[in-house]
Amino acid sequence: MNKLITMILSLVVIVSAQTQMNDDYAYKRSDWGRWIDVDKNCRDTRQEVLIDESLIPVTMDDRGCKVLSGLWFCLFTGRHFTNPRDLDIDHVVPIKEAYMNGGDEFTKEQRVNYYNDLKNKNHLMAVYKGANRSKGARSPEQWMPKFEPFHCTYIKYWLAAKMHHKIFMDNDEKYFITNMINKCKSQN
């Protein structure tokens, strides 16, 4: 009986790996759109996040469309930044992670909405571009911010984004997040 269970589990892993490989080939970031100006005020989603997250009033260009400076605290690194060119806008749950865990079923409109979602607070965050690129498309069991005081909050943001957008979790991710939640509870 144990041999049969082991064989079935092995098959599930093989099927899952094959499905992920096929999905990997089908994934195109360009299918998710780009930053858009949802409220038609000449500021795309990137600019809206920069304005919202700056700790001081931002300086805008002459047209009032592009952020030129401000003060941001990067929750990934624990560092402050004043130049928006040093920052990326991070999707807490990366687009490819969303795609691989249910987002492949999203319509074009749902994908664009996911990419530009300002309604789900903390779905998008201004972070140091080096940290964001280090994260890539990885989930928490594969990557966590270097700034440890943010770990528990990061897991909360991750779960909120997953639940809001109905994105699945694999077993490794569930195991890691469960352990992190227990660790965070014990720290309070």
Side-chain angles (χ1 to χ4, degrees), residues 59-187:
T59 302
M60 301 294 292
D61 68 1
D62 291 339
R63 293 183 43 227
C65 298
K66 186 175 180 182
V67 176
L68 300 176
S69 67
L71 178 64
W72 297 272
F73 181 73
C74 174
L75 291 168
F76 284 4
T77 64
R79 295 172 41 208
H80 286 91
F81 294 88
T82 57
N83 186 340
R85 289 185 298 236
D86 292 332
L87 304 171
D88 280 347
I89 305 304
D90 175 62
H91 292 83
V92 172
V93 175
I95 296 164
K96 187 173 182 180
E97 165 73 15
Y99 175 85
M100 301 294 283
N101 292 286
D104 59 325
E105 299 292 325
F106 288 4
T107 64
K108 178 68 174 170
E109 182 180 357
Q110 288 172 309
R111 290 178 184 191
V112 171
N113 287 339
Y114 182 87
Y115 195 91
N116 290 278
D117 183 5
L118 291 170
K119 293 177 185 165
N120 181 13
K121 184 139 176 69
N122 305 312
H123 168 68
L124 299 172
M125 298 185 337
V127 298
Y128 172 58
K129 63 186 177 184
N132 186 46
R133 293 165 194 185
S134 164
K135 173 184 170 183
R138 295 185 284 175
S139 56
E141 78 277 10
Q142 301 164 328
W143 184 92
M144 286 291 286
K146 286 186 178 182
F147 186 57
E148 287 187 35
F150 181 58
H151 283 186
C152 294
T153 304
Y154 182 71
I155 294 298
K156 286 180 193 173
Y157 290 179
W158 183 272
L159 287 172
K162 285 259 180 161
M163 288 172 33
H164 180 79
H165 292 285
K166 298 176 178 68
I167 299 168
F168 309 123
M169 278 192 248
D170 64 33
N171 288 331
D172 291 342
E173 181 183 354
K174 285 179 192 175
Y175 179 77
F176 180 84
I177 287 176
T178 301
N179 285 337
M180 280 297 297
I181 290 169
N182 290 331
K183 179 181 174 185
C184 293
K185 283 181 185 176
S186 72
Q187 290 175 355

Side-chain angles (χ1 to χ4, degrees), residues 43-57:
R43 299 173 187 154
D44 65 21
T45 304
R46 174 182 167 76
Q47 304 309 313
E48 298 285 3
V49 172
L50 290 169
I51 292 166
D52 185 54
E53 292 190 4
S54 180
L55 301 173
I56 62 172

